[in-house]
Amino acid sequence: RDTATGKGLTLSQLSDGTRAQLLLAARIGYVQDVERGVTVPLFFDESLTAADPARFAAVGNAVLDLIAADGRQVFYLTCDPADIAAWQQLLAARAQAPAPVSDLAAVRNIAAAAPLERLRIVAPPPVPAPAPGEDPAAYAVRLGDVPPLDPRAPAAAAHLFHLLRDDLPLLQRLLANDVVRMGQVDALATPLLAAGVLAPAQRGELRARVQALAAFSEAWRIGRGRPVPPGALTNESGASSTKLPEIEDLLASPAIAGDAARLVAALERREVPHLRQDTKAEIADWLVGEGYLDRRPVLAADAVRERVLQAAAADLRAGRLTLAALDGLLAAWWLAAGE
């Protein structure tokens, strides 16, 4: 579930790392359910290669706890020597013996991978501290890896910069602890609070800001359909196979640039000749059904602000948010959304 809104999320709405972690847990749970008293070995095929260090450690320690609980055999297959080093580091941190490693290249008498003793784990560069009075946008540039705000994505998935641009010291402390999104704040709340990285009031304020961003995003999306990606239009959209290439070319043109509303208007202007009126209507209906076209009028900034204020009313009354902070965030979110 979305930690900000409580709404259920599909697998496709989860980040790659969260989705992989969830599916891995589900598969292990399934194995345990069907074993019927016989403990079977588990094979992980590069399951953590794309994980960040914090997620690798969390999943790896859970697997090691599983081994400790029932003596289960676990095989981890990888072509990345860094994975081997990461596993050995986890075992060393638990004062356990290193895991045995079989190099298939050596077994097959072909070119071997780099020996473990030559591996060097490079620590990520430290998160820079903000300068006094530094402009938030300039600090984001110095951070270097702040993704743009996407009002179509779940609010809890937003980078914390978009929630804490007015509290850069807190942002820096969280990023220095590999905490980038609100879901991680909630998952790691206990150690973050214990270490003094985050105060209880700050956690409550962060939750309030995520709720406000969710309300802003929901209001902003009214009247704004999703961009139509190349190749999305098919015969199921109502376009005939003979006209589909012309419509796709029009959709990709600089004047349309994937905008469904502009495409429908261009079709009405007969920019694709000899297209039947009922076909145009069928294409428009398909675009609505797929979420590419929203026929509702776009809300003005005042109307969006009113909706956000309604959603944040309880937090404003409780002091978890101030009106000045909320208006500052709204202005930044509008700019980030390209308005």
Side-chain angles (χ1 to χ4, degrees), residues 23-33 42 44 63 66 72:
L23 291 174
L24 188 59
R27 286 164 182 163
I28 292 175
Y30 172 76
V31 168
Q32 291 177 314
D33 186 55
L42 296 178
F44 294 82
V63 172
L66 189 66
R72 185 184 303 273

Side-chain angles (χ1 to χ4, degrees), residues 1-334:
R1 289 185 175 275
D2 188 322
T3 55
T5 66
K7 295 180 180 178
L9 300 175
T10 64
L11 282 176
S12 62
Q13 292 174 306
L14 301 176
S15 68
D16 290 344
T18 300
R19 181 167 59 251
Q21 193 171 356
L22 175 62
L23 291 174
L24 188 59
R27 286 164 182 163
I28 292 175
Y30 172 76
V31 168
Q32 291 177 314
D33 186 55
V34 300
E35 282 177 324
R36 303 188 184 280
V38 178
T39 302
V40 301
L42 296 178
F43 286 79
F44 294 82
D45 188 1
E46 297 192 319
S47 303
L48 299 176
T49 298
D52 58 55
R55 195 182 300 275
F56 195 114
V59 177
N61 278 309
V63 172
L64 294 176
D65 288 341
L66 189 66
I67 295 172
D70 57 20
R72 185 184 303 273
Q73 238 184 337
V74 171
F75 295 85
Y76 189 88
L77 311 178
T78 183
C79 63
D80 187 350
D83 278 7
I84 303 172
W87 276 109
Q88 303 294 34
Q89 282 185 334
L90 290 180
L91 288 164
R94 297 165 66 109
Q96 294 180 227
V101 178
S102 296
D103 188 338
L104 295 183
V107 171
R108 296 169 181 166
N109 198 27
I110 58 178
L116 290 180
E117 58 269 18
R118 288 176 53 194
L119 288 177
R120 183 167 56 92
I121 306 301
V122 180
V127 178
E134 183 171 12
D135 177 72
Y139 184 58
V141 171
R142 286 208 293 129
L143 289 175
D145 58 352
V146 177
L149 180 67
D150 182 2
R152 294 185 174 88
H159 192 285
L160 287 176
F161 169 78
H162 301 295
L163 301 171
L164 290 173
R165 54 183 297 122
D166 56 346
D167 192 347
L168 299 183
L170 174 58
L171 173 65
Q172 192 267 343
R173 291 201 303 275
L174 290 169
L175 296 181
N177 284 271
D178 293 321
V179 177
V180 180
R181 293 176 176 79
M182 189 61 203
Q184 294 170 301
V185 173
D186 287 330
L188 300 172
T190 299
L192 290 174
L193 292 168
V197 175
L198 183 70
Q202 290 172 322
R203 184 188 180 194
E205 183 178 359
L206 265 173
R207 284 179 166 173
R209 291 177 177 221
V210 170
Q211 297 276 18
L213 177 56
F216 167 81
S217 298
E218 183 178 358
W220 181 90
R221 288 194 296 266
I222 293 175
R224 295 180 172 89
R226 296 184 293 119
V228 186
L233 288 170
T234 65
N235 291 339
E236 294 179 1
S237 67
S240 66
S241 56
T242 56
K243 289 295 181 182
L244 191 55
E246 292 180 72
I247 298 174
E248 288 180 334
D249 287 344
L250 179 61
L251 180 65
S253 68
I256 306 299
D259 188 290
R262 293 178 192 163
L263 175 65
V264 170
L267 294 179
E268 290 296 337
R269 292 194 299 268
R270 300 183 180 180
E271 293 188 24
V272 175
H274 311 300
L275 194 65
R276 293 162 49 100
Q277 193 62 35
D278 57 346
T279 300
K280 298 175 189 177
E282 190 174 349
I283 292 172
D285 289 342
W286 182 86
L287 291 167
V288 170
E290 295 296 316
Y292 298 124
L293 180 63
D294 189 335
R295 294 189 182 279
R296 295 174 295 176
V298 171
L299 294 182
D302 287 345
V304 172
R305 180 177 184 271
E306 184 61 32
R307 292 191 176 214
V308 174
L309 289 177
Q310 290 176 2
D315 291 315
L316 288 167
R317 288 194 298 269
R320 288 184 290 270
L321 271 179
T322 67
L323 190 58
L326 186 56
D327 278 333
L329 289 171
L330 277 171
W333 294 341
W334 275 112

